[in-house]
Amino acid sequence: MAYLTDDNLNYQYDLILNPTGGYKGVIPFVTVLGMLYGKRSVYIFEHAEQLINLPPLPFSFDIDIYNRVVPALKRIDEQTAIAEQEYYACIIDYTEQEKPLFTSFIEPIGDNMVTISPLAEVLLSIENRNSYPIVSQNVIDELLYDNTQPALALKRLIKNSVNPLWRNQHSEKWHETNLIVIKQNATAERLAGFVKNNAFYVAYAFRTHEIYERDLPKYDEKMAKNLKYQQWEITENVGKSQSNDMDLLRERDQLLIENRYLIEKIKTLEEVIDNNDLDKLEEKDQLEVLNQKIIELSQCIVDTKLELEQQKTHAEINYQALEKQLAEQQKSTKKLISKGFFSRLFYVVKGGR
């Protein structure tokens, strides 16, 4: 298994399996592994001196079936064994008619309990579901904010490239470069990169077959290793590569793009609503301030009017008091002047005396 799971050896050397000797029960599993990894097997029959070649059969592992059973396998892996009914209940979208498809992943251990089969244990050991793809900064910058169908397909390839099982079924070597090429069947998009420490490094991304044929010969592994890389967590929904039907893939991608557009539109509308609500709150606050000022001005007018009324009342009282005082003064003056005084005064002034 160490040789099969070492991508550096897998892509640099021609690995050959020899399911001869040992326990006979192991032979079928070795043969299946050769088919899963696309490796040639050789066999020697008893005392024969000539090798018998067992080429890998032209079939592939159904990743969709495996993806559906993974939650159930991980449940068993956590608890060593679980009830058979619980195992099937943990399989995604399971139906009773599919039971034969999932029996090879488990082994019965009595009392209706099951545990992981050697095949499932091998598959779990070579898969790397917790890793993020390692991608060149150039590719990240190109695809990060691109929501077109080709970009969506490339992001899906990148996300699936961390899975050795899937990568082995979708990789190829092109004679004009020593880079590993990854592609989904019946699609134009491709990735190119290299393997280091059993991890695939995505160096270049190609949107069309024409660009791929034109530009890929310009690159090699040495150039790719000089690029800047980082782990890229693709959190957006880019779908899963489970079909080789081009029309179905493109239709699914278009639905994903439309769904993303609707999500963005909903976000925009929510922001508009929030902004409108904020404007309304601000207008409400401003109206409350104006109403408060109106109340204060009204009170000020009332206070001023009351003060003026009081001042008017005080003025009238003072005026009446002054009139009374003047009347009394005039009356006192009349009493001090003797009768006939003004007649004599007039006579004296007239006579010049």
Side-chain angles (χ1 to χ4, degrees):
M1 281 304 300
Y3 290 100
L4 287 174
T5 57
D6 189 334
D7 285 339
N8 291 310
L9 294 175
N10 205 12
Y11 291 109
Q12 294 180 27
Y13 301 95
D14 185 17
L15 298 182
I16 300 175
L17 300 178
N18 179 20
T20 303
Y23 294 100
K24 294 186 181 298
V26 177
I27 294 177
F29 286 101
V30 174
T31 306
V32 169
L33 287 175
M35 294 177 181
L36 289 176
Y37 283 92
K39 301 304 178 184
R40 182 166 62 98
S41 298
V42 296
Y43 180 75
I44 298 179
F45 178 72
E46 294 185 351
H47 301 291
E49 296 181 358
Q50 186 176 2
L51 288 176
I52 299 175
N53 286 297
L54 303 174
L57 296 178
F59 73 87
S60 62
F61 183 72
D62 194 336
I63 294 294
D64 183 26
I65 295 294
Y66 180 63
N67 286 335
R68 291 171 57 194
V69 77
V70 163
L73 297 179
K74 289 193 172 182
R75 185 68 175 269
I76 299 177
D77 193 39
E78 293 172 355
Q79 303 184 22
T80 305
I82 61 175
E84 183 178 6
Q85 185 178 1
E86 183 181 359
Y87 163 73
Y88 289 109
C90 292
I91 298 173
I92 299 173
D93 298 329
Y94 172 76
T95 60
E96 189 65 28
Q97 292 77 10
E98 296 178 308
K99 187 173 182 178
L101 294 175
F102 299 101
T103 54
S104 61
F105 296 102
I106 55 174
E107 285 188 346
I109 57 174
D111 296 330
N112 292 323
M113 301 292 286
V114 295
T115 188
I116 295 177
S117 70
L119 174 63
E121 189 171 353
V122 168
L123 294 175
L124 285 175
S125 67
I126 64 178
E127 189 187 4
N128 194 0
R129 287 180 172 265
N130 297 323
S131 295
Y132 298 131
I134 303 174
V135 188
S136 69
Q137 191 62 50
N138 294 338
V139 173
I140 295 176
D141 293 340
E142 179 185 352
L143 300 178
L144 185 58
Y145 300 107
D146 192 342
N147 295 324
T148 60
Q149 187 276 327
L152 190 65
L154 288 170
K155 291 178 184 178
R156 183 166 55 250
L157 288 177
I158 292 172
K159 196 169 185 178
N160 284 284
S161 68
V162 299
N163 186 338
L165 289 174
W166 183 92
R167 188 171 69 242
N168 184 67
Q169 295 180 3
H170 295 85
S171 61
E172 60 184 15
K173 296 283 286 187
W174 200 33
H175 63 88
E176 295 191 35
T177 180
N178 56 1
L179 291 171
I180 300 167
V181 177
I182 292 181
K183 66 182 291 290
Q184 174 75 19
N185 294 341
T187 60
E189 298 80 15
R190 287 169 169 82
L191 303 176
F194 60 93
V195 173
K196 180 180 178 182
N197 298 328
N198 294 330
F200 181 71
Y201 285 67
V202 180
Y204 308 102
F206 306 96
R207 296 170 181 264
T208 67
H209 185 73
E210 291 75 15
I211 297 176
Y212 161 73
E213 287 191 332
R214 183 194 68 196
D215 293 345
L216 184 58
K218 303 175 185 177
Y219 309 125
D220 57 25
E221 186 172 330
K222 183 178 179 181
M223 295 173 60
K225 288 183 176 180
N226 289 328
L227 298 176
K228 182 180 179 181
Y229 294 88
Q230 70 176 57
Q231 287 187 320
W232 185 16
E233 181 182 4
I234 303 176
T235 57
E236 58 189 308
N237 181 14
V238 296
K240 296 180 179 179
S241 300
Q242 298 173 348
S243 173
N244 290 327
D245 188 295
M246 179 181 291
D247 294 334
L248 182 60
L249 286 171
R250 294 193 181 280
E251 182 180 356
R252 187 268 310 279
D253 288 346
Q254 186 60 37
L255 291 174
L256 287 173
I257 292 172
E258 293 175 0
N259 180 63
R260 184 176 301 167
Y261 171 76
L262 291 175
I263 292 174
E264 293 297 327
K265 191 172 182 179
I266 291 172
K267 286 183 179 179
T268 302
L269 291 175
E270 289 176 346
E271 291 176 357
V272 170
I273 292 173
D274 292 339
N275 290 334
N276 287 338
D277 291 341
L278 182 60
D279 292 340
K280 289 179 181 179
L281 289 174
E282 291 178 351
E283 291 176 358
K284 184 178 179 182
D285 292 339
Q286 293 175 356
L287 287 174
E288 290 180 353
V289 172
L290 289 174
N291 287 331
Q292 185 62 33
K293 288 184 177 179
I294 291 172
I295 293 173
E296 292 175 356
L297 287 173
S298 299
Q299 186 62 43
C300 183
I301 291 172
V302 171
D303 295 340
T304 302
K305 186 176 181 180
L306 179 61
E307 185 177 354
L308 290 175
E309 290 290 339
Q310 292 176 349
Q311 290 179 358
K312 180 180 178 181
T313 302
H314 291 157
E316 290 177 350
I317 293 174
N318 292 335
Y319 179 76
Q320 292 175 358
L322 288 173
E323 280 190 332
K324 183 177 180 182
Q325 187 177 8
L326 179 60
E328 292 177 353
Q329 188 66 33
Q330 289 177 347
K331 186 176 180 181
S332 300
T333 303
K334 287 182 179 180
K335 289 180 179 180
L336 292 174
I337 300 175
S338 58
K339 191 175 181 180
F341 172 77
F342 288 100
S343 299
R344 291 195 298 274
L345 181 60
F346 175 75
Y347 175 77
V348 170
V349 172
K350 187 178 179 182
R353 299 181 182 179

